[in-house]
Amino acid sequence: MFSSAITFGIIILTSLSQILPVAAVPAGSNLVRPSPRRATQDVVWEVQIHPGGPLVNVTGTVQDVIRYAEKINPNFRSDFAIDDQPPADDSSHVARAEYVPSTIQWIDCDWGYDAKLDQIIDGIKYLAKVPGRPSMGWNNGECAIVSCDWGATIQWCNNMDKGGVKTLNSYRSIANAANDLVKYCAGRHKTRVTRGSVYFHDWSVGVSQVYGC
C-alpha cells in the first residue's frame, strides 16, 4: 500500500508490489548503483527558457536550471507552471516518457542515506515540470545529481553496457521513477524521510541525502 501523503499526481499506481519485490541489485549485475555520498557526472539539460523558444543547454541540478532560466526569463516559473499543483489524475506527459512501471528491474529501499521526504517531493515536482530532455554521457559508472534541496538529492545514472550518451524523452521520466520509488518504499523508513534506488535496463534513479551537494 502506498502512502496517501504523496498525491501530487506524477503517476497514480495501485500497487508496485504486484510487479516486483523489494530487492538489492544481484551480485554480478551490470547495473550502476547511484552513489549515496557523491555524484560527479554532469547532466546536460535541453531547456526551453521561453514558451515556444529554442532549447538551451544548461548543466547542473534542476534548481540550477530554474535559477539560470529566471535570470533570462523572470516569468519562467509562471510561463511553464513550475509551481502549480497538477491534478491527481494528470497523465498528459506520461506517453512521452519512457518510464513504465513494468520495466523496473529492481528496487532497493535500503540504499542510500535518509533524506527529508518533503524536499525530495519538491525535487520530483520540479523535475516533472521543467521542459526539455535530459542527456548524460557514460563515465565509469558515475551518476549525476539532478535535484539537490538542502542535501536531499535525486540522482540519475547512465547504465548503458557499452557506454555512450543516454537521453530520455522527458525529465518527467526521472520524476516518475523517483515518485514511485518513494511510494513503494513508504513505511520502511522513519516518518518523513526516504531513501532508495530503482533500476531499469540502461538507467537508474537514486534518492539519498548527500551533504554539500
Side-chain angles (χ1 to χ4, degrees):
M1 185 66 67
F2 293 143
S3 169
S4 61
I6 306 173
T7 57
F8 45 86
I10 306 303
I11 286 182
I12 303 300
L13 297 177
T14 56
S15 178
L16 266 179
S17 62
Q18 297 174 358
I19 299 174
L20 79 171
V22 178
V25 177
S29 170
N30 289 327
L31 296 181
V32 176
R33 291 175 63 87
S35 169
R37 295 189 182 276
R38 65 185 181 91
T40 59
Q41 178 71 312
D42 290 328
V43 61
V44 178
W45 305 67
E46 295 180 346
V47 181
Q48 276 189 327
I49 305 298
H50 298 275
L55 295 176
V56 176
N57 290 342
V58 183
T59 301
T61 66
V62 64
Q63 291 83 5
D64 294 330
V65 170
I66 292 173
R67 283 192 290 267
Y68 175 84
E70 286 184 307
K71 290 180 180 179
I72 300 174
N73 175 14
N75 298 320
F76 177 76
R77 285 178 179 265
S78 59
D79 285 348
F80 291 97
I82 297 297
D83 296 314
D84 289 357
Q85 186 86 349
D89 61 350
D90 178 25
S91 60
S92 57
H93 297 283
V94 172
R96 294 199 297 272
E98 47 276 87
Y99 175 85
V100 179
S102 62
T103 63
I104 294 174
Q105 296 188 1
W106 292 278
I107 290 180
D108 183 357
C109 292
D110 293 325
W111 174 89
Y113 301 95
D114 286 348
K116 290 186 177 179
L117 179 60
D118 290 343
Q119 293 167 341
I120 293 297
I121 290 175
D122 284 343
I124 291 172
K125 289 192 287 187
Y126 286 150
L127 287 168
K129 289 295 188 69
V130 170
R133 304 179 67 190
S135 181
M136 181 172 61
W138 188 88
N139 184 22
N140 295 320
E142 293 289 352
C143 303
I145 293 177
V146 294
S147 176
C148 177
D149 187 355
W150 292 94
T153 70
I154 300 171
Q155 300 182 34
W156 175 45
C157 302
N158 176 351
N159 294 341
M160 298 177 69
D161 288 341
K162 298 181 180 179
V165 176
K166 178 64 180 176
T167 301
L168 301 176
N169 291 334
S170 168
Y171 299 106
R172 196 178 184 90
S173 297
I174 301 173
N176 288 341
N179 179 59
D180 288 327
L181 167 64
V182 168
K183 289 192 294 184
Y184 187 63
C185 295
R188 294 178 172 86
H189 308 305
K190 297 177 182 178
T191 303
R192 309 310 297 173
V193 299
T194 187
R195 68 179 187 273
S197 51
V198 54
Y199 303 88
F200 302 87
H201 171 64
D202 59 2
W203 59 290
S204 58
V205 171
V207 169
S208 177
Q209 185 74 14
V210 176
Y211 295 101
C213 66

